[in-house]
């Protein structure tokens, strides 16, 4: 019975396992057919690719594309760097390999002082294998002979026990040779290694170049290092590239190698260098070695490369520098105020609202320790800040669009008292005011009442604050048409969408949203938003690169490979009269006595009329770096455009953490409006001088 | 006590043939790297083959009777060795913690042995279960199914965490093979298979639809899905991470090698992992179509031979172990060869008896030892004229 049971089970195991065998038989037949297909039927296709790859044994880099400003001034270029590289060649015998190393050692100087002790010990070991065991301590020898430690561990022990004097007495030429060999060992058939990258002298370079015919795989190679000719200006926007030593960053190496890059090729890591990598990268000249009858090698050009393509920037670098200087001066001045201890940064993003061209994008950070400024211009696109009342024009426009108010509508600016919350009010009580007044004087209560109306509620003193769910979503959708809370589409990597709060927060936070105290935006989003207003509702995509051109061969003209033009992302479906109303409010900010930026823009009317809006936000920062965002500060912001009738420049200014907000209800500084005034003045001045 | 040992010459001949190809392949791949004093991999591989053969003969001499009794202890040692990787003793290479550093030997990957131990225990549990519950009722099968699932699931989860998706999958496949052999009803496989397919399919779909964004919060799952997506959509809209480079290089080498191959140490295209995961490409490239075909045929013959030994066995513990080994080896062969020809996603998976590597080779020789033992047992019973009742 039991045996029968057993028999039945093993039978079952047998026939069921045979299913796996059957399936595998089928799979193996498919695989055999696939192998036949690859190796026999598609042979020609792969053979062509193979010949290409196997012939090319050496590539000479071409320089990366240069970057030129709107005025034709070179901003980023390249300087040649000489280096000596080695690429392992298939079929190199041990003898040839050693000969190459020896020859190289005789031709170039190596600074042996940088070689670490472990390497030196290894070199010593390799060259004294007969005698080196004498240095092994008695215990080590005993342990090895007793079989307690393996041979590898034994040799490691010996290496450590070589006395320092013996290491120090090593012949420097021998060290050089071993060092070169150890570098060469890291090469493989399609992987070059740099033998010497720094301080290659003219003589060395010439000597190696002269002898490269007898050292297959060794090249005196011209490489290119990036050179930034305008100092620190815009550095973080221009971006960075890896050095020839770093080569491809490990985390993306496979990706770039699949695109045909070499491991030691440089690649853009950030900023424009990254976003325009495909244009900036030069195509290397490809060479093949052919063996002559006398055993030396001949190098032939297989594929001609080309230099990287030129980027023409929209920015005039001189104006950019002027803006940076204005920021620096204002920061230093304001820092004289003892309260301004947390003030270190300020940002300006300026766009041509008609086209989307970036006019300037500046960000400066002051280091109180070193008393120096650093470029943080990239934060214009990647940094989120609480913007405050500068968003009010968007709030009013949303009010029109969503039917809460109509142009010219009056609302009562009063102190609002909701049940269970502190009194909410504007910086002063303004009484019955219109939308234009509300913008000019920056009324909070006007915005709040607008939002309550929009949210289906009603203000009753001491009543409960009621706002329908979904109101903030409607507001956000409306804000997005202006660029607030969406990507601007600028040609930079890693742009921020801003910081978007909860979907249905407390009604109080919905009110805060309307005065720029809830969601956060980037300076660039603010600039796009004000250009959308300047444009009467059409949102343009900002861009830093006007065009990409390939320098033609002699006799040909330059070829334009890419041209960025005005790209309208969307238009807000409101008619002209709505925008006129908003613009009038913004005009009064700079031109009427109680306008919030009147004192800064006083007198500007001689040169230009402009529209603007100031903003003050309370923000929390973490100055002591303990992870607690517990310090309350003011951010001050400004958006503006000029000339009023036909705007050419639209800008946003953001000054985070200008003063602590514990004691004051409004900050005493107005440096943001001052910066805006000076930047706009400088813009029209520089136009005049051109 | 002296007893006659019956040797399965077939299996040894197949291993010898695979070993020869392996060593030649590794030797040939060396041409792509500069000569250096300590990279004598082909010698090491010969050594491991030697050590493995000796080891498998020791297993044959030792017999399988005691193996059943050791099933639990081995399994527990295996689990402990996996947990030990979470201590400072574990060695992290390329963001994966799979190894111990063993002075003098190099590195040891315990999961390579754990997969064998798991198969031994699963086979033992299934055999015992049938012993204890001779009636093949639905309830008994359900119980067996869950027993096996838990025993295989624990090490599979630990290995998945290392992370090593490949080996975790191997364990699950081995479990399924044993379940199949042990008579688990087919509807279980359909359910499990359907669920797995739906889960992976859904995950891939979500990846493509959100262009990877959905997984940014859970990168440990995301990168795995990305690999599957890259395989499904080689040049699709989803940004590729470049596993394709390895595959591309392998295909160029193989395709250009053609019928005759480039010749020993003659291919001039660099294949990353050309001695290891992509050794099938290296060998087909250097020695041509017929040697590639020989690997496919020999690999299948190995499975067939194990199956023939299984088929002659009258011991269910033995049968189930053999089924587990078939599942394990078949899956690795299918996956590895398939990936080098673009039919499977590129994944760290070695080709049994061909790829370079001591630990994995030794673990396969453990399998050979057990199979030699089973063969010996079969022959002994055959010659003694009656079938022995299972007494483990």
């Amino acid at each position: 019975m039991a045996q029968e049971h057993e028999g039945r089970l093993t039978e079952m195991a047998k026939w069921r396992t045979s299913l796996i065998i059957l399936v595998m038989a089928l799979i193996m037949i498919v695989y055999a057919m696939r192998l036949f297909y690859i190796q026999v039927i598609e042979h020609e296709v792969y053979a062509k690719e193979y010949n290409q790859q196997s012939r090319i044994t050496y590539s000479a880099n071409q320089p990366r594309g240069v970057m030129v400003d709107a005025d034709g001034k070179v901003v980023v270029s390249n300087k040649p760097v000489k280096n000596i590289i080695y690429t392992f060649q298939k079929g190199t015998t041990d003898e040839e390999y050693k000969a190459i190393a020896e020859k190289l050692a005789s031709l170039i100087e190596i600074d042996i002082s940088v070689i670490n002790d472990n390497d030196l010990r290894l070199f010593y070991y390799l060259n004294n294998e007969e005698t080196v065991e004498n240095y092994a301590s008695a215990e080590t020898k005993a342990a090895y002979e007793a079989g307690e430690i393996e041979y590898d561990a034994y040799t490691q022990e010996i290496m450590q026990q070589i006395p320092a004097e013996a290491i120090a007495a090593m012949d420097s030429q021998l060290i050089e040779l071993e060092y070169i060999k150890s570098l060469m060992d890291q090469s493989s058939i399609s992987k070059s290694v740099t033998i010497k990258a720094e301080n290659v002298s003219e003589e060395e370079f010439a000597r190696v170049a002269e002898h490269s015919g007898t050292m297959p795989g060794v090249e005196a190679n011209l490489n290119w290092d990036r050179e930034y000719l305008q100092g620190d200006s815009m550095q973080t926007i221009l971006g960075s590239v890896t050095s020839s030593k770093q080569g491809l960053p490990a985390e993306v190496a496979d990706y770039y190698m699949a695109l045909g890059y070499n491991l030691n090729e440089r690649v853009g890591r950030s900023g424009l260098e990254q976003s325009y990598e495909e244009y900036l990268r030069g195509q290397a000249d490809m060479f093949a070695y052919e063996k002559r009858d006398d055993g030396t090698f001949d190098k032939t050009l297989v594929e001609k490369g080309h230099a990287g393509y030129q980027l023409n920037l929209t920015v005039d670098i001189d104006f950019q520098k002027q803006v940076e200087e204005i920021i620096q001066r204002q920061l230093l001045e304001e820092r004289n105020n003892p309260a301004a201890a947390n003030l270190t940064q300020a940002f300006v993003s300026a766009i041509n609202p008609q086209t989307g061209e970036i006019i300037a994008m500046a960000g400066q950070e002051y280091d109180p320790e070193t008393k120096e400024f650093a470029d943080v211009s990239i934060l214009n696109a990647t940094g989120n800040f609480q913007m405050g009342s500068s968003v009010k024009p968007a709030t009013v426009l949303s009010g029109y669009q969503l039917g809460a108010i109509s142009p010219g509508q009056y609302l009562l600016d009063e102190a609002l008292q909701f049940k269970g919350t502190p009194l909410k009010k504007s910086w002063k009580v303004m009484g019955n005011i219109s939308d234009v007044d509300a913008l000019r004087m920056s009324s909070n209560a006007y915005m709040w009442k607008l939002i309550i109306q929009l949210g289906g509620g009603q203000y009753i003193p001491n009543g409960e604050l009621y706002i329908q769910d979904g109101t903030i979503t409607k507001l956000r959708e409306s804000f997005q048409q202006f660029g607030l809370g969406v990507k601007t589409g600028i040609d930079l990597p890693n742009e921020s969408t801003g910081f978007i709060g909860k979907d249905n927060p407390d009604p109080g936070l919905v009110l805060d949203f309307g005065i720029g105290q809830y969601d956060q935006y980037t300076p660039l989003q603010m600039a796009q938003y004000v250009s959308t207003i300047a444009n009467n509702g059409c949102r343009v995509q900002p861009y830093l690169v006007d065009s990409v051109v390939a320098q033609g061969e002699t006799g040909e003209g330059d070829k334009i490979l890419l041209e960025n033009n005005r790209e309208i992302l969307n238009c807000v479906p409101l008619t002209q009269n709505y925008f006129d109303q908003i613009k009038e409010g913004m005009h009064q900010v700079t031109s009427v006595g109680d306008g919030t930026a009147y004192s800064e823009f006083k007198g500007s009317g001689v040169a230009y009329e402009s529209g603007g809006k100031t903003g003050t936000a309370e923000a929390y920062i973490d100055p002591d770096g303990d992870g607690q965002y517990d310090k309350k500060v003011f951010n001050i912001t400004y958006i503006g455009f000029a000339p009023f009738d036909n705007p050419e420049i639209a800008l946003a200014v953001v000054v985070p953490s200008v003063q602590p907000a514990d004691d004051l209800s409004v900050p005493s500084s107005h440096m943001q409006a001052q910066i805006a005034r000076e930047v706009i003045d400088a813009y029209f001045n520089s136009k005049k001088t051109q | 006590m002296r007893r006659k040992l019956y040797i399965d010459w077939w299996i040894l001949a197949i291993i010898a043939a695979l070993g020869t190809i392996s060593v030649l392949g590794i030797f040939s791949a060396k041409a792509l790297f500069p000569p250096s004093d300590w990279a004598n991999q082909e010698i090491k591989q010969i050594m491991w083959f030697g050590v493995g053969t000796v080891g498998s003969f020791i297993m044959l001499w030792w017999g399988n009777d005691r193996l059943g009794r050791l099933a639990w202890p081995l399994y527990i040692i295996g689990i402990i060795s996996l947990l030990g990787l979470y201590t400072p003793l574990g060695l992290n290479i390329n963001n994966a913690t799979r190894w111990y550093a063993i002075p003098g030997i190099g590195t040891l990957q315990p999961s390579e042995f754990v997969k064998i131990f798991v198969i031994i225990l699963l086979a033992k549990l299934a055999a015992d279960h049938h012993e204890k519950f001779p009636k093949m009722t639905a309830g008994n099968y359900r119980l067996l199914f869950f027993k096996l699932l838990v025993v295989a699931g624990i090490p599979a989860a630990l290995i998945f965490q290392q992370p090593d998706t490949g080996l975790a999958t191997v364990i699950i496949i081995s479990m399924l093979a044993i379940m199949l052999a042990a008579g688990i009803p087919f509807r279980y496989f359909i359910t499990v298979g359907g669920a797995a397919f739906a889960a992976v399919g859904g995950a891939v779909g979500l990846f493509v639809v959100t262009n990877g964004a959905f997984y940014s919060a859970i990168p440990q799952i995301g990168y795995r899905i990305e690999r599957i997506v890259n395989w499904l959509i080689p040049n699709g809209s989803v940004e590729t991470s470049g596993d394709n480079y390895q595959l591309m290089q392998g295909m160029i080498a193989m395709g250009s090698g053609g019928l005759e191959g480039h010749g020993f140490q003659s291919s001039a295209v660099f294949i990353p992992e050309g001695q290891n995961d992509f050794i099938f490409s290296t060998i087909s490239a250097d020695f041509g179509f017929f040697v590639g075909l020989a690997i496919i045929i020999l690999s299948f013959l190995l499975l067939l031979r194990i199956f023939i030994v299984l088929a002659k066995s009258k011991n269910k513990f033995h049968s189930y172990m053999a089924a587990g080994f078939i599942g394990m080896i078949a899956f690795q062969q299918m996956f590895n060869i398939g990936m080098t020809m673009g039919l499977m996603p590129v994944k760290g998976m070695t080709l049994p008896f061909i790829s370079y590597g001591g630990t994995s080779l030794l673990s396969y020789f453990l399998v050979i030892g057990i199979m030699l033992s089973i063969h010996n047992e079969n022959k002994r019973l055959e010659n003694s004229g009656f079938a022995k009742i299972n007494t483990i």
Side-chain angles (χ1 to χ4, degrees):
Chain A
M1 168 63 204
Q3 201 168 334
E4 196 183 308
H5 176 59
E6 181 89 15
R8 223 167 52 222
L9 285 169
T10 48
E11 271 306 305
M12 177 153 71
K14 181 170 138 189
W15 87 259
R16 281 183 155 215
T17 313
S18 73
L19 295 178
I20 303 179
I21 298 295
L22 213 70
V23 171
M24 273 308 281
L26 292 175
I27 290 175
M28 289 306 198
I29 290 170
V30 172
Y31 280 9
M33 280 157 47
R34 172 77 176 161
L35 185 66
F36 186 79
Y37 178 78
I38 294 171
Q39 291 207 282
V40 181
I41 296 176
E42 291 277 275
H43 171 67
E44 292 300 320
V45 180
Y46 290 114
K48 219 169 116 191
E49 189 68 32
Y50 175 86
N51 286 336
Q52 188 102 346
Q53 257 199 43
S54 60
R55 263 194 90 194
I56 293 164
T57 44
Y58 163 66
S59 56
N61 289 326
Q62 289 269 12
R64 264 177 98 77
V66 298
M67 297 190 207
V68 170
D69 84 340
D71 217 18
K73 205 174 248 178
V74 179
V75 180
V76 184
S77 84
N78 307 283
K79 55 172 183 264
V81 188
K82 299 187 194 74
N83 53 32
I84 310 294
I85 60 168
Y86 174 70
T87 318
F88 179 69
Q89 301 296 310
K90 182 177 66 78
T92 307
T93 63
D94 284 20
E95 291 73 39
E96 285 166 347
Y97 190 72
K98 279 202 187 100
I100 293 169
E102 276 160 17
K103 188 142 201 184
L104 252 183
S106 71
L107 293 175
I108 61 176
E109 296 292 322
I110 297 284
D111 177 10
I112 59 172
S113 65
V114 300
I115 302 171
N116 71 39
D117 186 57
N118 277 337
D119 284 346
L120 289 174
R121 287 174 182 277
L122 177 66
F123 299 161
Y124 186 93
Y125 185 97
L126 293 174
N127 281 282
N128 298 279
E129 282 190 76
E130 290 84 33
T131 56
V132 73
E133 271 188 75
N134 298 336
Y135 292 124
S137 67
E139 299 90 55
T140 312
K141 266 188 195 164
Y144 176 58
E145 275 154 21
E148 282 162 25
I149 55 172
E150 299 281 337
Y151 184 72
D152 285 1
Y154 177 55
T155 58
Q156 286 295 328
E157 287 284 321
I158 295 176
M159 262 187 248
Q160 293 313 315
Q161 287 165 7
I162 301 170
E165 307 86 68
I167 302 287
M170 259 166 86
D171 179 29
S172 65
Q173 279 182 340
L174 183 74
I175 296 175
E176 224 178 90
L177 175 66
E178 287 294 342
Y179 179 69
I180 289 173
K181 252 203 264 181
S182 70
L183 290 174
M184 285 168 63
D185 281 347
Q186 292 164 27
S187 165
S188 68
I189 193 153
S190 54
K191 183 182 162 198
S192 304
V193 291
T194 308
I195 304 291
K196 186 171 181 183
E198 280 145 29
N199 308 319
V200 177
S201 70
E202 284 293 341
E203 292 77 34
E204 281 177 312
F205 194 75
R207 277 202 300 260
V208 171
E210 190 184 328
H211 288 91
S212 67
T214 57
M215 299 185 289
V218 175
E219 285 297 335
N221 181 37
L222 263 193
N223 213 328
W224 307 89
D225 265 352
R226 238 13 188 166
E227 205 177 19
Y228 299 90
L229 300 173
Q230 306 297 331
D232 199 20
S233 189
M234 273 185 107
Q235 182 71 65
T236 54
I237 285 177
L238 299 172
S240 61
V241 293
T242 60
S243 71
S244 52
K245 221 172 180 178
Q246 292 166 320
L248 299 177
E251 67 275 14
V252 290
D254 283 343
Y255 171 70
Y256 281 111
M257 279 170 82
L259 291 175
Y261 280 67
N262 285 325
L263 262 179
N264 67 339
E265 207 164 327
R266 67 202 44 227
V267 61
R269 288 202 96 159
S270 64
L272 294 174
E273 296 275 19
Q274 186 185 339
S275 46
Y276 287 90
E277 170 66 26
E278 58 174 316
Y279 294 105
L280 289 170
R281 176 200 182 200
Q283 200 78 49
D285 292 331
M286 303 289 189
F287 294 93
Y289 290 108
E290 255 133 56
K291 207 168 190 166
R292 293 201 207 97
D293 289 342
D294 63 356
T296 60
F297 287 80
D298 211 11
K299 203 168 77 183
T300 53
L301 182 69
V302 176
E303 210 179 303
K304 180 98 184 77
H306 60 77
Y309 301 124
Q310 173 179 322
L311 300 191
N312 292 325
L313 306 181
T314 59
V315 172
D316 176 342
I317 200 73
D318 290 334
F319 180 66
Q320 167 82 16
K321 281 183 177 169
Q322 278 185 47
V323 174
E324 288 168 357
E325 280 158 21
I326 292 168
I327 294 175
Q328 291 180 359
R329 187 160 34 75
Q330 287 290 336
L331 277 175
L332 284 179
E333 226 165 82
E334 185 61 33
R335 279 185 61 88
N336 289 330
N337 179 349
N342 301 118
L343 169 66
T344 54
Q345 296 177 330
F347 304 93
V348 173
S349 280
I351 302 183
N352 179 336
Q354 294 169 16
T355 60
E357 286 168 51
I358 296 284
I359 298 169
M361 220 166 138
Q364 291 288 311
E365 181 171 63
Y366 181 72
D367 184 342
E369 310 254 306
T370 62
K371 305 205 181 309
E372 273 173 25
F373 284 97
D375 179 84
V376 285
S377 53
I378 192 71
L379 291 179
N380 277 292
T382 60
N384 303 327
F385 301 96
Q386 208 78 66
M387 294 298 182
S389 308
S390 300
V391 309
K392 282 176 184 167
T395 308
V396 175
L397 280 160
S398 303
Y400 298 153
Q401 202 183 355
L402 298 169
I405 55 166
S406 47
Q409 177 140 1
Y410 277 78
L411 292 172
L412 182 65
D413 181 295
E414 58 186 326
L416 304 186
Q417 181 66 64
F418 300 105
K419 204 162 137 190
T421 64
L423 203 62
K424 284 177 92 80
K425 53 183 187 168
S426 304
W427 61 280
K428 66 174 185 186
V429 175
M430 302 167 191
N432 204 22
I433 53 168
S434 71
D435 44 4
V436 171
D437 302 329
L439 290 176
R440 180 182 73 246
M441 298 186 286
S442 199
S443 160
N444 288 346
Y446 193 95
M447 306 301 145
W448 292 331
K449 286 197 165 168
L450 179 162
I451 290 171
I452 293 170
Q453 211 144 4
L454 183 67
Q458 205 173 2
Y459 173 62
I460 301 156
N462 282 313
E464 196 96 42
L465 170 59
Y466 170 78
I467 290 174
Q468 272 169 12
D469 274 2
T471 303
I472 198 164
T473 310
K474 281 194 225 162
L475 281 168
R476 281 193 182 121
E477 281 167 3
S478 178
F479 272 42
Q480 285 173 2
Q481 306 170 90
F482 299 93
L484 296 174
V486 287
K487 292 195 175 182
T488 64
I490 193 166
D491 44 357
L492 283 172
N494 308 323
E495 189 195 352
S496 167
T497 39
F499 170 79
I500 313 296
K502 282 190 247 165
D503 272 351
N504 277 311
D506 293 340
L509 292 172
V510 182
L511 297 188
D512 287 348
F513 176 89
I515 58 166
Q517 276 288 123
Y518 190 47
D519 287 2
Q520 299 178 0
Y521 311 109
T522 68
L524 187 66
Q525 284 176 327
M526 295 299 280
Q528 187 180 47
Y529 143 66
V530 68
S531 28
T532 307
I533 292 172
N535 261 344
N536 302 319
C538 287
R539 180 164 77 102
V540 292
Q541 182 171 11
Y543 56 92
L544 281 154
V545 172
D546 185 57
S547 60
V548 181
V549 295
Q551 259 95 13
E553 302 281 314
T554 25
E556 294 173 35
D558 289 356
K559 203 164 97 198
I560 296 175
L561 299 172
L562 175 84
E563 207 168 8
N564 285 322
N565 287 310
R566 179 169 86 146
E567 180 79 35
I568 292 176
L569 299 171
N570 61 271
C571 288
V572 183
L574 283 174
T575 50
Q576 185 66 40
N577 57 318
Y578 291 93
F579 287 100
D580 287 346
Q581 192 77 3
I582 293 294
K583 284 179 166 174
E584 179 53 32
M586 291 176 75
H587 187 212
Q588 291 190 9
V589 168
T590 64
S591 61
V592 173
D594 60 354
T596 53
Y598 175 73
S599 49
E600 287 75 24
F601 278 87
K602 205 159 50 179
S604 65
V606 183
Y608 56 85
E609 293 291 326
S610 77
K613 179 75 194 79
T614 57
T616 302
E618 287 173 0
Y620 287 89
I621 58 167
D622 174 22
D624 48 6
D626 63 353
Q628 303 289 324
Y629 286 75
D630 48 8
K631 173 116 180 137
K632 197 161 136 193
V633 292
F634 285 121
N635 293 348
I636 53 176
T637 62
Y638 187 84
I639 55 168
F641 59 90
F644 185 73
D645 290 327
N646 184 24
E648 290 170 26
I649 178 170
L651 88 174
V653 182
V654 176
V655 183
S657 316
V658 66
Q659 280 167 6
D662 303 319
D663 314 323
L664 300 163
S665 62
V666 283
S668 60
S669 169
H670 241 201
M671 68 178 277
Q672 91 280 31
Q674 192 58 41
I675 291 176
R677 167 79 197 263
E678 289 185 30
V679 169
I680 298 175
D681 282 356
Y683 174 77
F684 287 113
N685 278 335
S686 74
K687 262 191 72 175
K688 233 184 286 167
T689 54
Q690 266 171 22
Chain B
M1 184 185 83
R2 274 182 60 114
R3 57 195 168 113
K4 183 172 162 49
L5 291 178
Y6 299 92
I7 293 171
D8 185 356
W9 293 108
W10 269 111
I11 219 164
L12 292 178
I14 294 167
I15 297 301
L18 285 171
T20 309
I21 295 177
S22 166
V23 170
L24 284 176
I26 290 166
F27 204 2
S28 193
K30 272 182 71 170
L32 301 175
F33 302 93
S36 86
D37 297 336
W38 44 85
N40 38 11
Q41 290 170 313
E42 74 283 0
I43 308 288
K44 280 192 181 164
Q45 185 81 343
I46 292 174
M47 197 187 82
W48 287 120
F49 264 98
V51 171
T53 309
V54 171
S56 61
F57 273 95
I58 294 173
M59 295 283 299
L60 165 62
W61 171 79
W62 194 62
N64 281 344
D65 284 353
R66 274 164 283 198
L67 201 59
R69 284 199 293 280
L70 282 178
W72 272 110
L74 285 176
Y75 177 80
I76 288 164
I77 290 170
I79 297 288
I80 291 171
S81 71
L82 289 180
L83 289 172
L85 293 171
Y86 290 95
T87 69
L89 291 171
L91 188 66
N92 188 308
I93 303 176
N94 292 334
N95 291 325
T97 311
R98 298 176 191 166
W99 298 270
Y100 289 110
I102 308 287
I105 296 180
T107 56
L108 184 108
Q109 190 181 341
S111 48
E112 291 281 4
F113 291 101
V114 170
K115 70 183 180 195
I116 313 283
F117 298 162
V118 172
I119 290 174
I120 296 171
L121 181 59
L122 290 175
K124 159 101 168 117
L125 284 177
D128 284 358
H129 186 89
H130 281 305
E131 200 70 20
K132 211 166 146 193
F133 306 102
K135 287 215 162 57
M136 301 178 193
T137 62
N140 282 342
Y141 277 123
R142 194 179 325 121
L143 182 61
L144 177 59
F145 174 80
F146 284 108
K147 268 191 203 171
L148 300 183
L149 190 65
V150 169
V151 165
I154 293 168
L158 285 172
I159 292 170
F160 186 79
Q161 269 302 316
Q162 290 179 344
D164 188 347
T165 325
L167 244 170
T169 315
V170 167
I171 288 181
I172 296 301
I173 296 287
S174 311
M175 175 197 77
L176 291 174
I178 291 172
M179 286 178 168
L180 185 74
I184 299 285
F186 284 110
R187 62 171 185 278
Y188 282 83
F189 296 94
I190 295 165
T191 316
V192 170
F197 187 79
V200 173
V204 167
L206 203 55
F207 190 97
V208 174
V209 169
T210 65
N211 206 358
F214 180 77
Y215 292 96
S216 53
I218 37 168
Q220 62 272 40
I221 303 291
Y223 86 90
R224 291 173 155 125
I225 305 296
E226 190 181 348
R227 287 196 152 192
I228 302 177
V229 173
N230 284 347
W231 170 62
L232 289 173
I233 318 173
N235 291 310
S237 55
V238 180
E239 194 168 294
T240 56
S241 73
D243 289 331
N244 294 338
Y245 171 70
Q246 197 175 12
L247 176 61
M248 204 174 69
Q249 292 293 92
M251 298 269 278
I252 290 169
M254 236 192 299
S256 58
L259 268 178
E260 287 140 43
H262 294 290
F264 179 67
Q265 296 201 336
S266 292
S267 170
V269 164
F270 179 67
I271 311 170
E273 296 287 323
Q275 283 144 301
N276 212 319
D277 293 354
F278 271 68
I279 192 162
F280 183 77
S281 314
T282 306
I283 295 174
S284 311
D286 285 357
F287 303 116
F289 170 72
F290 291 107
V291 179
L293 186 64
I295 295 180
I296 293 179
I297 292 172
L298 284 167
S299 293
F300 181 70
L301 284 181
L302 177 65
L303 292 178
L304 193 62
R305 185 60 208 170
I306 296 177
F307 174 69
I308 289 170
V309 173
L310 177 154
K312 288 187 178 155
S313 172
K314 299 281 177 260
N315 177 321
K316 50 189 186 303
F317 171 51
H318 288 175
S319 299
Y320 298 160
M321 274 199 296
F325 296 150
I326 288 176
M328 173 184 89
I329 295 175
F331 180 72
Q332 292 198 214
Q333 290 170 341
M334 174 189 82
F335 209 100
N336 179 284
I337 299 178
M339 86 182 175
T340 61
M341 298 193 297
L343 298 175
M344 288 278 157
V346 175
K347 197 86 206 60
M349 179 85 70
T350 55
L351 183 55
F353 294 105
I354 303 282
S355 287
Y356 174 72
T359 330
S360 71
L361 204 49
L362 282 189
S363 73
Y364 296 129
F365 270 108
L366 205 56
V367 171
I368 297 303
I370 293 172
M371 290 316 299
L372 287 176
S373 260
I374 297 176
H375 173 80
N376 180 45
E377 187 84 350
N378 291 349
K379 280 283 176 196
R380 219 160 50 78
L381 289 178
E382 217 172 89
N383 291 354
S384 69
F386 61 91
K388 189 181 147 204
I389 297 165
N390 179 31
T391 52
I392 49 166

